[in-house]
Amino acid sequence: MNDNRTVKIILDGGCLSTEQLIAELQACIPSQSSWNWNVRVVENDFIVTLPSADDLERVIRYGGFFIKEKKIQMKFEVWSEEQEGLLLPKIWIR
């Protein structure tokens, strides 16, 4: 894995506010209790930087977390800034 610890979180089965997502992340990834969770919303998904590369590897390996009481599956994908936005090919018109 590279040094990028940023993930895209996709919620399946429901929705969470940013504050609820942070509370779930703190419960699921307790390695850094004082970590400043910087959450961005892109379309209907969340972009979050995790505390460590080990945390990134763990959430990718296990595919995410299931929030039982809310019946929501949190799925994680590695994210890079290149994925943000849409790149259009250059064309020449005569």
Side-chain angles (χ1 to χ4, degrees), residues 73-87:
Q73 178 73 31
M74 291 174 40
K75 300 177 184 177
F76 294 81
E77 297 177 0
V78 176
W79 176 261
S80 65
E81 293 299 322
E82 292 87 35
Q83 294 174 334
E84 193 170 336
L86 175 65
L87 295 175

Side-chain angles (χ1 to χ4, degrees), residues 56-80:
L56 172 67
E57 187 176 329
R58 189 176 310 108
V59 297
I60 297 299
R61 180 184 305 138
Y62 294 108
F65 300 106
F66 182 70
I67 306 168
K68 187 175 180 179
E69 63 272 359
K70 293 182 170 93
K71 296 184 173 111
I72 297 174
Q73 178 73 31
M74 291 174 40
K75 300 177 184 177
F76 294 81
E77 297 177 0
V78 176
W79 176 261
S80 65

Side-chain angles (χ1 to χ4, degrees), residues 19-92:
E19 292 78 20
Q20 290 172 320
L21 178 74
I22 291 171
E24 294 298 335
L25 289 171
Q26 287 172 334
C28 296
I29 306 172
S31 64
Q32 304 272 340
S33 61
S34 63
W35 179 253
N36 181 17
W37 294 98
N38 183 13
V39 177
R40 293 186 298 149
V41 179
V42 175
E43 296 176 12
N44 293 328
D45 303 321
F46 297 96
I47 307 300
V48 179
T49 300
L50 300 177
S52 72
D54 290 338
D55 293 325
L56 172 67
E57 187 176 329
R58 189 176 310 108
V59 297
I60 297 299
R61 180 184 305 138
Y62 294 108
F65 300 106
F66 182 70
I67 306 168
K68 187 175 180 179
E69 63 272 359
K70 293 182 170 93
K71 296 184 173 111
I72 297 174
Q73 178 73 31
M74 291 174 40
K75 300 177 184 177
F76 294 81
E77 297 177 0
V78 176
W79 176 261
S80 65
E81 293 299 322
E82 292 87 35
Q83 294 174 334
E84 193 170 336
L86 175 65
L87 295 175
L88 299 174
K90 290 183 182 179
I91 61 170
W92 293 92

